[in-house]
Amino acid sequence: MDTNGATTSSTAGGGSTSKSSSKKHSRKPIYSRFTQQELPACKPILTPGLVIATFTIIGIIFIPLGLVSLSASEKVVEIVDRYDESCVPSNYSNDKLKFIQNPSINKSCVRTLTVPKLMKSPVFIYYQLDNYYQNHRRYVKSRSDKQLRSVSDEKSTTDCSPEDKTVDGPIVPCGLVAWSLFNDTYWFSVNSKTIEVNKHDIAWKSDKEHKFGSNVYPKNFQSGGLIGGAKLNSSVPLSKQEDLMVWMRTAALPTFRKLYGKIEQDLQANEKIQVVIQNNYNTYSFSGKKKLVLSTTSWIGGKNDFLGIAYIIVGGLCLFLAVCFILLYVIKPRPLGDPSYLSWNRSPAGHPN
Amino acid sequence: MTRGRIRARLRLSHLYTFACTRPEATEEGPHSIEGPGYSRLVHCNQPLMHKKKPFKYRSNYISTTKYNFFTFLPKALYEQFHRVANLYFLAAAIVSVTPLSPFSAVSMIAPLVFVVGLSMAKEALEDWRRFMQDIKVNSRKVKFHKGEGVFDYKSWKKLQVGDVVKVEKDQFFPADLLLLSSSYEDGICYVETMNLDGETNLKVKRALEVTLPLDEDASFKNFTGKIKCEDPNPSLYTFIGNFEYDHEVYALDPSQILLRDSKLRNTAFVYGVVIFTGHDSKVMQNATKSPSKRSRIERKMDYIIYVLFSLLLVISLVSSIGFAVKTKFDMPDWWYLQPQNTDDYYDPRKPVLSGVTHLITALMLYGYLIPISLYVSIEVVKVLQATFINQDIQMYDEETGNPAQARTSNLNEELGQVDTILSDKTGTLTCNQMDFLKCSIAGTAYGMSSSEVELAAAQQMASDLEDQDVERSTDFRQKGKQQEIELETVVIPKDEMVHKSPIKGFSFEDSRVMEGNWLNEPNADVIMLFFRILAICHTAVPELNEETGNYTYESESPDEAAFLVAAREFGFEFCKRTQSSVFVRERYSASGQTIDREFKLLNMLEFTSKRKRMTVIVRDEDGQILVLCKGADSIIFDRLSKNGRLYEEDTTRHLNEYGEAGLRTLALAYKRLGESEYSAWNNEFQEAKTTIGADRDLMLENIAEMMEKDLILVGATAVEDKLQKGVPQCIDKLAQAGLKIWVLTGDKVETAINIGYACSLLRQGMKQICITEISSDAKEVVKENILLQITNASQMIKLERDPHAAFALIIDGKTLAYALEDDVKQQFLVLAVQCASVICCRVSPKQKALVTRLVKEGTGKTTLAIGDGANDVGMIKEADIGVGISGVEGMQAVMASDFSIAQFRFLERLLVVHGHWCYKRIAQMVCYFFYKNIAFGLTLFYFEAFAGFSGQSIYDDWYMLLFNVLLTSLPVISLGVFEQDVSSEVCLQFPAVYQQGPKNLFFDWYKILGWMGNGLYSSLIIFFLNIIIFYDQAFREEGQTASMPALGTTMFTCIIWALNCQIAFTMSHFTWIQHLFIWGSIATWYLFLFVYGRLSPSISDVSTHWIIISSKRSSTTRKTSRINACGLGSDREPEKGP
């Protein structure tokens, strides 16, 4: 509360002392454009011209962009075949779960796909699962990236419960994600000639190089009481197990596709492709669909009309607005900077003057 | 020092009649001091006695800091977690170490630590400044009695109770002291209590008769005494104690007590004994914290936070119910989750339990709806805004060297929402510096200069004429504008012209009386008498300015100084005052030599506010006894003799003219007295003076009355209470900005009205409504009448047809007392609110505060009180915003204020420019904050619906951590600090822009909900576009499909783009800083992604390089739809400015 500050004498007629005049200079704010808030600035004003121009330009850019994407998407040839229902023998059709859980039943199943159009190499093979919550928190967290990366961290399996360890030691790879590895397999043939499926380079490069160790080998995997999905060859290091890598890259949505392999030959139009499916994976308990997908890609990836349509719609909307504003501007023009449009001039009530 | 010596030779107590010649208090005998509250015992000059208990009192060390080294952490943390939002985040951080948390612990704790740490750092810095200030005060030096009659210097903090100190002229008292003796032989001293109550006039303190001999260092060698007194308390004006000295007990009263932080003036030195030290001293006991004020926006912000909390709770509930349902019904089928082996969180057999635990998870997951960094960002922004206010060179006053100062940064945006300004007059609108402008002598008016009121009126007339000529046919509105602009250009040169007055306090111009020319005027003898009265009838003391050789005068009121300066300029220089005489150096012509005349001072009947007049009785060199009197015109006119009324008619006319011109007037009169007449009166007077008893004052007054009659009128003076520079223009602009201005003044009605005109608060053509009380004894009748007047006036306003009619309400203090009573005040307020200007005259400080409260609570609008003196403190504290004028009067108002400016005219810039900017900045900033967190937080929620409500976040923990702290914080801060919707020049030219604030156009619920809706819209677009685009298809030519990190990163990229583009749309002012922050934030995100992707996978979970390419693609889509939406909105209102 002490106020020893500048208390000036109130002596009438008394001049200010030299002390206070020297003080003056020290307290005067130093001029700079920054402190005076006078930095050079651009103040974009949304004039009709600018707005119309912006909308037009966006429209002009987006519509062609949309068209190009759309055409790219159109070029993609895609075959989708749902096989979960039809691959269950008719005598089990009422109890699919029993069928899939009985290891003694032969699960192979033959499907025939017709190629609608020429499919240029490479043709990508996907499996698509539905209603499968790979993004469930319990699922996502149930893995150990450390362990996948290096042998020395083999024992860090705290997050992996309940698939963390067996009596023989820690499970590698541990956790629910690895445990539930997809295990359907496909053989393709055209006119009884087998089509080679290339299963290399289906995983992300970074996964192979950084996330899955080349000296980490599966251990105690699928050896416990509960068998989840596929088993792994324990003599192949994880960095070569591309199916596992693909699977462990969890999908964001409950419906997802994952890359199975590549067919590195062109598929001619109207060719009939025989697919022998080992239908092992249980999606019946949660009534998830299983689909086999063959697809080519273009620069936008797989078949995706939405992107092109979205671009066209946004571009079209912009053009439409541009036109509207032009019309508005022509029909009801108003000069810029007319003070009579100022809000306080429009309503006389606000101001006493 | 000269001043002290002059005073030292005068025993002023012999001079004064009414002020300081109270009968000796000792005769009442000592107070009976017993019981609780009177336990303090001071052993004077025995320092050893106070070294240990029970007499070891608090040391004189003061500390105004909030924290100390040890308490800082707990106390500051407590302060921080007082806020609901912070508490929530603390709880979230604690839970985050359990498996319940959807995020890693660090991503919850790091932002909290950052935010709280920043706030605490600010607290620490502020406290550090206070600490440095304390150190400065504590280490001031004072002379104390070391022993054996030797005095030495010692720092304040080491001072102890019982020490004898010697305080010299113009020093502050280091503690509450008992005055023992002073350099005056009668033991009086003058004290300036500006720091205590803001009053600049000097107060007289007197020592006890018994301690008077202790007036030199050596006499304290064997001095001992005992003081028994009250315990420390905050009452400044009371003191009860006994002083035991030489085996006698004497009573002490407040007039012997010198309070800490007041200053010794006009007295060479005093000796005193320390009674209360440090925090026991009265001033420290008084140091209450001014109530912390919060701005309207901040208060509303709390409600928005509550709304968001409810939203959070709702979606958390939805989420946890969804989760419970999923867990119960669907999860048993999800074999890949091993539902049979799960812990409690996911146990399908206990869906309720998992639902409840999930609620906690969800509350944390959606915590991003609550902007954690909002408070700290606002704090940072406000501090920076305050710095801009402090640094504004256009609010720096060259004369006093004071820049504007935002003493609290809490209320910056409140400055932009002010509806009513309550202003003090003296010292705020006016300089409290009197200028001798005109006089009327012997019925002739002298003085050519015009007062500011006259100038203003002339100005008004001139511009009115011009208007009519120039544009008779143009649109009315257009005309109004033209006028404003012209006014500005015309007014500025005038200012420079007026303020060129070379002599302070003297603006008189008339060649008829200057330079000795008055000798040629018809009534030269009367004129001489007039000048002599000016030079003799006062209580001032001259002081020779050694540099210029001129005398300056130290007086109790600025009027008196103006008179003396005037007399000096007329050739009657008052140059010396002794105990019994006044010396005047008279000079009859410009070149002529001077004659020193001595006037023997016989009696002085000084000015009191009750008497309203002052009289001196002198004997001139010829032995003639003269009674010289000056006083309020009504008082003097009542006391004129029959033949003394010669000039009454003319003088009255002149007085009226002066009154209209806004000048303060006094009438001067004299009479000659015979020797015998005088001695008869004097005997009576002396007898009355020495009487002891209650009726002494009355007797003195009656006797004075006997002398002050049958006077002869000489003339009248007109002194201008100068308006501060630029006040009329400022008020004009503020009125244009739609602000209502109330002036609360202690002046009488006429003066107030004059000043009202002078500062263009009242304009020609304004209808004045005067509410006055009728003189009646019955309170009820008076009240009834006032109520009637109020109702009538309200009726009149209602019936007014002209929409441009403006009303002014004028009310005086006594009437106001009635009007402020509970049953009338509502009607009064309704009336007052309808008036453009309100002037309250003769109001007490308490009434000022009451009026402020009435306006504040009655209208619910923001009030700003501005004042400079201690009498304004109540009002300043009461108002939503208090502004202190850091000018001439004390620091009290400034200390209580939230902002201080050096001149009233800076208020315009403070409000119209800074207030407007700050309001818009903060409003937009807060809205944007809610927008950004809703846009972000909701995407998390939507994702839940796709992830079985399991509480999985789609974003990487690091993104979440950086979102509030790094990626979106700087642009919004730059919005809050640098945004200018229009430049300061436009703000000043079109003050009506200010109305956006009081009407709260940028922070009403409509706007806030609009922003929130925008957030909802953004989140929907961002989420679903991404979901659809990445649904199941490969997104690369190599055939890989999007995984969760890929989708999350893309979505996050979209959010960063959208939020930053949105803020770019919101801004209308881009300096390089905004560009840097906005585009830099986006760049930072990519940079982060790049680095994060490159890091060893032990930290990062993302493979990035591919993602960047793809994210760009979809973000373009996003961005454009954004542009789309914004364009729609903004094109509708093409530019409010011209």
Side-chain angles (χ1 to χ4, degrees), chain A residues 82-150:
Chain A
R82 180 178 172 188
Y83 64 89
D84 57 312
E85 295 266 319
S86 42
C87 280
V88 177
S90 51
N91 51 342
Y92 283 103
S93 60
N94 290 328
D95 197 357
K96 295 170 190 145
L97 205 55
K98 206 170 185 181
F99 161 77
I100 202 80
Q101 279 172 344
N102 189 343
S104 58
I105 302 172
N106 180 14
K107 305 277 173 36
S108 66
C109 153
V110 180
R111 305 281 300 161
T112 308
L113 311 174
T114 312
V115 180
K117 267 199 275 184
L118 169 71
M119 293 174 90
K120 284 224 154 142
S121 159
V123 177
F124 294 96
I125 306 159
Y126 300 94
Y127 52 89
Q128 175 171 346
L129 298 182
D130 179 68
N131 201 15
Y132 191 103
Y133 286 90
Q134 256 206 327
N135 58 9
H136 197 281
R137 186 150 72 101
R138 178 173 164 82
Y139 192 80
V140 172
K141 296 262 187 284
S142 183
R143 64 191 287 163
S144 165
D145 286 327
K146 269 187 176 171
Q147 190 202 41
L148 297 174
R149 208 159 46 237
S150 73

Side-chain angles (χ1 to χ4, degrees), chain B residues 533-551:
Chain B
I533 296 175
L534 289 185
I536 297 167
C537 180
H538 57 78
T539 56
V541 179
E543 191 177 347
L544 187 66
N545 187 333
E546 269 132 28
E547 280 165 46
T548 59
N550 264 338
Y551 285 100

Side-chain angles (χ1 to χ4, degrees), chain A residues 238-269:
Chain A
L238 290 187
S239 64
K240 297 251 162 66
Q241 309 258 14
E242 296 208 22
D243 278 327
L244 178 74
M245 286 182 229
V246 170
W247 181 255
M248 298 229 16
R249 192 159 262 279
T250 51
L253 298 169
T255 302
F256 58 87
R257 279 181 194 176
K258 283 186 183 290
L259 197 52
Y260 178 82
K262 290 183 274 189
I263 296 172
E264 283 168 332
Q265 67 182 69
D266 292 355
L267 299 176
Q268 303 304 321

